[in-house]
Amino acid sequence: MKKLLVSSCLLGIPCRYDGRSKPVPLPKELTDNFELIPVCPEVMGGLPTPRPPAEIVLRSAGAIKVVNSEGVDVTGNYLAGARKALEIAKANGCSCALLKEKSPSCSGGQVYDGTFSRTLTDGDGVTAALLKSNSIKVFGESEIKKLLAEL
């Protein structure tokens, strides 16, 4: 059976910055065809739950900076969590991941712009970018049908 890396919060695990989860109903076709491998890169990177929200404030020429709403640089935590998620994906032979949209870790396409004004901009979260650069396809929770087409 194929294995699918999944954001833990999408599976109902309360690990988000606000101490909650964001469970999504997973179609039987998905759960019948994949073993789900839960990950929360932020927690795996050493951040507590709950925690202040964070956003990517700088992304240029291979550099990235993630800061929380209190002004604390949490880039190291995000990078460490991303590396651990990649290790888990590789160890389990995951070729795809289902990750939380809009997350500074997991989003594969749009993230908040670093101003803490809830403004979205194009870009990938830290973990999603690392997974993609290692040939792991990243899907958000609104793209489950697209993920199923990969079966």
Side-chain angles (χ1 to χ4, degrees):
M1 179 178 282
K2 287 184 177 181
K3 295 182 181 181
L4 177 67
L5 202 70
V6 181
S7 291
S8 296
C9 64
L10 297 178
L11 297 174
I13 298 169
C15 58
R16 286 173 32 98
Y17 76 93
D18 58 6
R20 298 180 184 175
S21 64
K22 285 284 186 175
V24 295
L26 298 177
K28 186 169 175 26
E29 185 180 355
L30 185 74
T31 57
D32 283 352
N33 288 289
F34 286 100
E35 178 183 342
L36 306 180
I37 308 296
V39 294
C40 179
E42 294 172 28
V43 171
M44 293 184 322
L47 294 172
T49 302
R51 57 191 165 273
E55 294 187 6
I56 298 170
V57 297
L58 169 72
R59 184 192 316 261
S60 66
I64 194 160
K65 184 174 183 180
V66 185
V67 175
N68 72 22
S69 60
E70 296 174 349
V72 176
D73 185 336
V74 290
T75 306
N77 299 95
Y78 276 73
L79 292 172
R83 287 190 295 269
K84 288 180 182 176
L86 176 62
E87 287 174 22
I88 290 168
K90 285 183 173 182
N92 284 282
C94 297
S95 61
C96 296
L98 177 61
L99 303 179
K100 180 71 187 98
E101 294 168 349
K102 303 178 189 172
S103 161
S105 295
C106 295
S107 184
Q110 283 195 314
V111 293
Y112 292 109
D113 70 355
T115 64
F116 293 92
S117 64
R118 306 211 36 91
T119 303
L120 289 169
T121 187
D122 290 339
D124 293 329
V126 178
T127 298
L130 183 61
L131 294 174
K132 286 179 175 184
S133 72
N134 281 271
S135 302
I136 296 172
K137 295 178 184 176
V138 173
F139 299 88
E141 68 268 25
S142 68
E143 300 177 304
I144 292 175
K145 287 183 182 176
K146 191 174 172 183
L147 169 60
L148 288 172
E150 290 288 317
L151 293 176

